[in-house]
Amino acid sequence: MSTNLFFVSLLIALVGPVIAITYLKPILYKVLRMLCDADGGAEFWIRCAYLLAVSGTLLLMLSFGEFNERNSVIDTVRRSLWLVLAGVFVTVAVISRNVWMQVRQWLAAKELAAHVQSARIDKPAVSAGPSAAARPA
């Protein structure tokens, strides 16, 4: 096993997902702030995203990486990039799916509230009983 190839692969596995989540962080923070009213909720989920992405790619690298000295550096880097991109893709897909499900529920609740509000406004006033003109004297 080549120590240099091993550490280069681990470095790629660490840097790749950090770049991806850092790229998503500003918009993910806004969406999570909209969905999480708890103080610190958005920060918690972003930190979870970092941990999931990094640990997932490290697990892939340690399980399927090629660090043998008989492999060329280019082959090792190519395999490392492939594993890291696969890990980042799966992580972002899982995060996006879960966030989208929450956004859909939030939008449905907002639409329902708007519908109920407009139904209350459009509803005619109910009279308390027969009018004075209709009552016998």
Side-chain angles (χ1 to χ4, degrees):
M1 178 164 98
S2 171
T3 307
N4 290 338
L5 292 178
F6 178 73
F7 285 118
V8 166
S9 297
L10 289 182
L11 182 64
I12 292 170
L14 285 170
V15 171
V18 169
I19 290 171
I21 300 299
T22 302
Y23 172 73
L24 289 174
K25 185 178 177 179
I27 192 66
L28 185 59
Y29 182 79
K30 288 178 185 178
V31 171
L32 290 174
R33 290 285 297 163
M34 177 185 70
L35 295 172
C36 301
D37 6 348
D39 191 33
E43 291 85 4
F44 170 78
W45 291 113
I46 289 173
R47 290 179 188 193
C48 285
Y50 275 111
L51 287 175
L52 281 172
V54 170
S55 63
T57 56
L58 283 173
L59 283 171
L60 284 173
M61 190 62 65
L62 293 173
S63 299
F64 303 111
E66 291 288 331
F67 316 115
N68 297 326
E69 290 181 3
R70 60 185 161 83
N71 293 343
S72 71
V73 174
I74 295 298
D75 287 339
T76 301
V77 170
R78 181 183 163 274
R79 184 175 184 90
S80 297
L81 288 172
W82 193 94
L83 290 169
V84 167
L85 291 175
V88 168
F89 178 82
V90 169
T91 302
V92 170
V94 167
I95 291 169
S96 299
R97 181 178 176 269
N98 289 330
V99 168
W100 176 242
M101 286 187 336
Q102 294 301 316
V103 168
R104 255 187 15 200
Q105 289 176 356
W106 180 80
L107 289 173
K110 189 175 175 182
E111 185 177 313
L112 179 63
H115 180 70
V116 167
Q117 182 66 24
S118 70
R120 286 183 185 159
I121 293 171
D122 295 342
K123 188 176 178 182
V126 178
S127 62
S131 66
R135 280 190 232 151

